[in-house]
């Protein structure tokens, strides 16, 4: 079987999400659409049958840790990778704050002000994607765009009421 190192399905543990506004719901939809359209995701731990994709991924938060459930296309479980979230807390907080500013600007400010805030938002997002790649180093190989989209989905999991 040829290697196919990509995600074909992503699920979020909806039990951890208490409230989503329309803007965040749109971010989630865009991240999911873009992620499923194009991604590179390759778990680095060898399987007994040398399975190399495609993958179904589940994201959930358990006891303050991110759990990434990795399954084969037929839904059989491969592994769960856990990541401590302490190093992501500031990035998640900053991302939500800058997104709120961006959504307010879209409704009330000039295109130049919107562009300035959007540049800052992209900067925060890029730093968080690099952090995610760094934390997954040696566990999962993923490209930068995949890391950005996964970070957006991780943020959605951290929304509180």
């Amino acid at each position: 079987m040829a290697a196919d190192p990509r995600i074909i399905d992503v699920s979020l543990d909806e039990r951890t999400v208490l409230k989503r506004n329309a803007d965040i719901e749109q971010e989630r939809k865009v991240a999911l659409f873009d992620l499923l359209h194009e991604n590179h995701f390759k778990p680095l731990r060898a399987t007994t049958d040398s399975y190399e994709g495609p993958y179904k991924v589940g994201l959930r938060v358990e006891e303050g840790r991110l759990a990434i459930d990795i399954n084969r296309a037929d839904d059989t479980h491969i592994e769960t990778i856990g990541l401590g979230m302490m190093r992501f807390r500031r990035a998640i907080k900053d991302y939500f704050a800058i997104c709120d500013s961006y959504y307010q600007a879209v409704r009330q400010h000039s295109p130049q002000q919107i562009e300035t805030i959007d540049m800052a938002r992209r900067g925060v997002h890029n730093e968080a994607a690099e952090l995610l790649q760094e934390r997954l180093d040696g566990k999962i190989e993923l490209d930068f765009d995949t890391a950005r989209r996964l970070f957006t989905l991780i943020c959605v999991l951290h929304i509180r009421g």
Side-chain angles (χ1 to χ4, degrees):
M1 177 166 39
D4 190 5
R6 66 186 174 96
I7 298 170
I8 58 168
D9 187 54
V10 177
S11 62
L12 302 179
D13 181 2
E14 295 294 333
R15 294 173 302 166
T16 64
V17 179
L18 301 181
K19 176 180 121 180
R20 269 190 214 136
N21 65 33
D23 294 324
I24 296 299
E25 183 59 19
Q26 182 63 21
E27 290 277 321
R28 183 194 67 79
K29 285 179 181 176
V30 169
L32 272 175
F33 177 84
D34 289 348
L35 181 67
L36 295 176
H37 179 71
E38 183 178 343
N39 68 79
H40 176 79
F41 182 92
K42 181 180 176 183
L44 298 178
R45 183 177 294 157
T47 60
T48 55
D49 63 355
S50 301
Y51 185 82
E52 294 183 300
Y55 303 96
K56 291 184 177 181
V57 174
L59 300 175
R60 59 190 163 84
V61 176
E62 200 169 86
E63 297 176 10
R65 294 177 60 81
L66 174 68
I68 303 171
D69 296 315
I70 303 171
N71 299 310
R72 290 175 173 82
D74 68 4
D75 290 319
T76 55
H77 186 70
I78 297 173
E79 69 177 313
T80 298
I81 294 176
L83 287 182
M85 292 304 298
M86 280 306 268
R87 295 204 39 214
F88 290 97
R89 291 206 193 292
R90 180 169 191 87
I92 291 169
K93 182 181 173 191
D94 290 350
Y95 184 68
F96 278 131
I98 200 82
C99 283
D100 284 344
S101 296
Y102 175 76
Y103 299 133
Q104 288 176 10
V106 166
R107 293 177 183 97
Q108 301 169 355
H109 297 293
S110 72
Q112 187 175 9
Q113 290 167 309
I114 294 167
E115 186 176 329
T116 300
I117 294 169
D118 192 43
M119 285 175 58
R121 182 173 80 139
R122 278 195 305 270
V124 168
H125 207 175
N126 290 347
E127 286 176 25
E130 289 168 3
L131 176 60
L132 183 59
Q133 283 182 305
E134 175 187 308
R135 299 284 290 131
L136 290 173
D137 187 41
K139 298 174 182 128
I140 300 172
E141 175 185 294
L142 65 164
D143 66 355
F144 184 72
D145 287 337
T146 300
R148 284 183 99 242
R149 293 162 184 150
L150 284 173
F151 175 73
T152 300
L153 298 175
I154 291 166
C155 286
V156 171
L157 285 177
H158 284 80
I159 295 172
R160 297 291 179 245

